[in-house]
Amino acid sequence: MIKLEKVNKWYGDYHALNDVTGSVAKGEVVVVCGPSGSGKSTMIRTLNRLEEIQKGDIQISGKSIYGPGVDINKLRASIGFVFQQFNLFPHYSVRDNITLSARKVGGMSVAQANALAEDLLNKVGLSHKIDAMPANLSGGQQQRVAIARALAQRPPLILFDEPTSALDPEMVGEVLAVMKQLASEGMTMVVVTHEMGFARDVADRIWFMDAGEILEDTTPQEFFTAPRHPRSRKFLEDILQRSVV
Amino acid sequence: MIELIQKYGVMLLVGSWPHGQIGGLAATLILAFLGLALAFPIAILLGFARISHFKVLRGVVAGWVVILRGIPLIMLIFWAYFVVPLITGMSVSVFVTCLVAIILYESAFLAEIVRAGLQGLPRGQMEAARASGLSYWQSMRYVILPQALVNMIPSLVNQFVSTIKATSIVYIIGMEELTFAAQQINSIELTNALQTYLILAGIYFIVCLALSYAARLLEARIQKRRAGLA
């Protein structure tokens, strides 16, 4: 479904992504972890071209997203993206947040789109909030609406960029539960997160990134019990220490 | 002073209307409002151009804005007064001359308000819109502009206030508005210059104060709505 081939990106002199190579199969859940500044967010943002790359190639469903004649809007409509800061549209109701892309890009009728919104809100457990404005929702609720909004594009693939990092601790669980459910339904997901519990329980594979490189591409079991790279060992130690304190 | 107001109040408010041309405060407000209203669509285009990806377009519009903001309004009025008839070959009314000058002048100021409004939104809004497959212009239309326009309202009212004051110099080319009316009164009365101009200042002050107050109320309401309280 996703294939990265020697992807390189620079911000000026700073080498943000260094020969990143990897692939995600259909239905797979890949959790990307690593210390901050390791290039995780940059990497996931290149997958729908929110960030451009300077070298290498990225293929989605067998087609290069940098190929000639690629319709960038069509490509993005086929990929769900969930942001750290939710980024709901504050001037629209929950319903309109969810249906906007379906109506304007997918060409869905208002009635169809509204039915879809009801359906998806049900799925994320917020059907009673359909007419609410985003400002009246808690962070966890906003993020669940954002997930419903991504689902409304009916994408075969959803990207999550630190979906729980901006949430109060007591709201992390409700968002992870929705993501877990999606994973169990066979959605292809790439998730940048620090939630190691989620990684252990849900991920099919873990990518450990540091300094713009993928240092480990392995199963959760191996990653958590026998990390090969010294930097992933240190990362896990730091994380464990923090959760104990 | 009360006597002056009693005698010339109507003239200050509406000029010689309804027997003659509309003037006084009414003409001032009409000129300022029409000037801004017609400059605004231009300013929106200029604002978009200011944040465009095309360097040349950005440069040209930046030049336009810097030049217009860097010269006094009266220069534009003079030029419009002498140049517009030269170019069009028609004699243009004083009102149209002033309106053209004010539209040009205000387009530059409003363009900066529009640019700030567009750029003032969190980056995540544009990113979320684009990530959902909306094109650049769809994102602007459905996500960025509706929010930016609301955010611009207080600045726009403030610009209206400063435009009302700025129009006072158009009396120089004989446009019948508030300052022109005061000028007329002064030449009729001859001995009451101080009082006449005090009244003039008072009228500008009251109108602008009321508008500034309205702007503040609006701003408070927008803040409240954004916090999800209204």
Side-chain angles (χ1 to χ4, degrees):
Chain A
M1 174 129 272
I2 308 176
K3 223 172 170 175
L4 296 109
E5 276 164 25
K6 300 209 166 211
V7 169
N8 279 275
K9 177 172 181 67
W10 288 266
Y11 292 110
D13 286 339
Y14 181 65
H15 202 169
L17 294 177
N18 184 1
D19 272 346
V20 171
T21 298
S23 65
V24 180
K26 193 170 178 329
E28 221 175 9
V29 176
V30 172
V31 163
V32 185
C33 59
S36 58
S38 57
K40 316 177 294 276
S41 280
T42 305
M43 188 278 292
I44 201 169
R45 287 162 60 88
T46 62
L47 299 181
N48 70 346
R49 287 182 61 177
L50 279 181
E51 301 283 353
E52 302 282 322
I53 62 174
Q54 276 95 41
K55 234 174 88 185
D57 192 28
I58 299 173
Q59 293 180 4
I60 306 252
S61 306
K63 270 187 286 183
S64 167
I65 62 174
Y66 286 92
V70 167
D71 182 340
I72 183 87
N73 299 320
K74 224 163 143 190
L75 168 82
R76 284 173 173 155
S78 72
I79 302 173
F81 199 102
V82 176
F83 295 85
Q84 180 177 356
Q85 302 291 346
F86 333 133
N87 295 346
L88 293 181
F89 308 131
H91 57 306
Y92 287 141
S93 68
V94 165
R95 184 203 315 267
D96 291 344
N97 263 281
I98 294 173
T99 59
L100 183 66
S101 165
R103 283 182 287 127
K104 301 302 174 192
V105 185
M108 218 180 255
S109 74
V110 174
Q112 270 178 310
N114 283 344
L116 177 63
E118 276 169 40
D119 213 39
L120 292 172
L121 278 175
N122 220 0
K123 192 175 176 125
V124 299
L126 287 173
S127 40
H128 57 298
K129 293 290 187 187
I130 191 159
D131 290 312
M133 296 305 278
N136 293 324
L137 303 179
S138 72
Q141 289 172 331
Q142 287 192 49
Q143 192 62 301
R144 284 189 280 157
V145 171
I147 293 174
R149 176 175 69 178
L151 286 170
Q153 298 164 222
R154 302 212 165 276
L157 159 71
I158 302 193
L159 310 173
F160 295 84
D161 186 8
E162 302 209 24
T164 57
S165 300
L167 295 175
D168 290 335
E170 76 269 23
M171 291 170 187
V172 170
E174 63 191 71
V175 172
L176 291 181
V178 169
M179 292 167 61
K180 234 178 236 186
Q181 192 198 334
L182 284 180
S184 72
E185 289 166 7
M187 177 65 78
T188 311
M189 294 160 60
V190 178
V191 184
V192 173
T193 186
H194 293 293
E195 293 295 331
M196 289 301 118
F198 178 84
R200 185 161 29 206
D201 298 345
V202 182
D204 296 306
R205 268 179 317 126
I206 308 252
W207 290 359
F208 176 76
M209 286 186 73
D210 195 12
E213 291 178 82
I214 297 184
L215 295 182
E216 292 207 39
D217 177 354
T218 176
T219 63
Q221 215 204 342
E222 240 186 290
F223 182 71
F224 288 109
T225 53
R228 274 167 301 181
H229 204 282
R231 270 186 276 177
S232 40
R233 273 202 291 276
K234 169 144 187 357
F235 174 76
L236 283 172
E237 270 167 30
D238 289 348
I239 289 243
L240 280 175
Q241 220 161 44
R242 202 175 47 195
S243 60
V244 169
V245 171
Chain B
M1 218 153 100
I2 305 231
E3 206 179 293
L4 273 177
I5 293 175
Q6 274 170 343
K7 200 164 158 195
Y8 297 109
V10 176
M11 188 170 159
L12 284 167
L13 288 181
V14 294
S16 46
W17 187 82
H19 308 295
Q21 214 174 353
I22 199 161
L25 176 62
T28 292
L29 291 178
I30 290 170
L31 184 63
F33 182 79
L34 267 185
L36 278 191
L38 296 175
F40 193 56
I42 301 173
I44 290 198
L45 296 181
L46 293 175
F48 278 132
R50 283 279 267 163
I51 59 170
S52 150
H53 295 294
F54 301 105
K55 252 193 181 151
V56 177
L57 186 62
R58 239 174 27 223
V60 168
V61 173
W64 169 278
V65 168
V66 167
I67 288 170
L68 282 175
R69 296 211 314 173
I71 56 177
L73 176 58
I74 189 135
M75 297 294 123
L76 277 179
I77 290 171
F78 282 154
W79 278 328
Y81 189 62
F82 296 116
V83 172
V84 172
L86 215 68
I87 293 174
T88 60
M90 292 183 294
S91 68
V92 181
S93 76
V94 173
F95 179 76
V96 172
T97 304
C98 293
L99 193 59
V100 167
I102 286 174
I103 289 171
L104 287 176
Y105 192 64
E106 292 303 329
S107 72
F109 284 91
L110 292 181
E112 287 301 275
I113 292 176
V114 171
R115 182 187 60 75
L118 294 175
Q119 291 183 326
L121 292 177
R123 248 176 58 145
Q125 289 293 308
M126 189 54 150
E127 286 182 351
R130 296 305 305 274
S132 76
L134 296 175
S135 69
Y136 179 80
W137 290 110
Q138 278 180 320
S139 304
M140 280 294 176
R141 174 163 167 211
Y142 297 114
V143 176
I144 304 299
L145 252 190
Q147 296 185 64
L149 286 175
V150 172
N151 295 352
M152 284 176 214
I153 290 172
S155 304
L156 292 177
V157 178
N158 283 330
Q159 194 59 31
F160 188 42
V161 168
S162 75
T163 307
I164 287 172
K165 290 186 290 180
T167 58
S168 61
I169 55 166
V170 300
Y171 88 93
I172 278 189
I173 59 166
M175 156 104 195
E176 293 183 36
E177 42 72 73
L178 184 55
T179 305
F180 186 87
Q183 191 77 3
Q184 270 182 315
I185 294 164
N186 189 41
S187 50
I188 296 167
E189 292 284 325
L190 287 172
T191 52
N192 290 321
L194 188 65
Q195 289 92 325
T196 306
Y197 288 122
L198 248 164
I199 292 169
L200 178 64
I203 295 175
Y204 277 114
F205 181 75
I206 290 168
V207 170
C208 293
L209 187 72
L211 280 167
S212 300
Y213 186 68
R216 219 166 334 140
L217 278 185
L218 265 173
E219 210 170 342
R221 246 178 88 179
I222 292 165
Q223 294 281 337
K224 223 167 155 185
R225 217 181 61 159
R226 231 178 272 153
L229 300 171

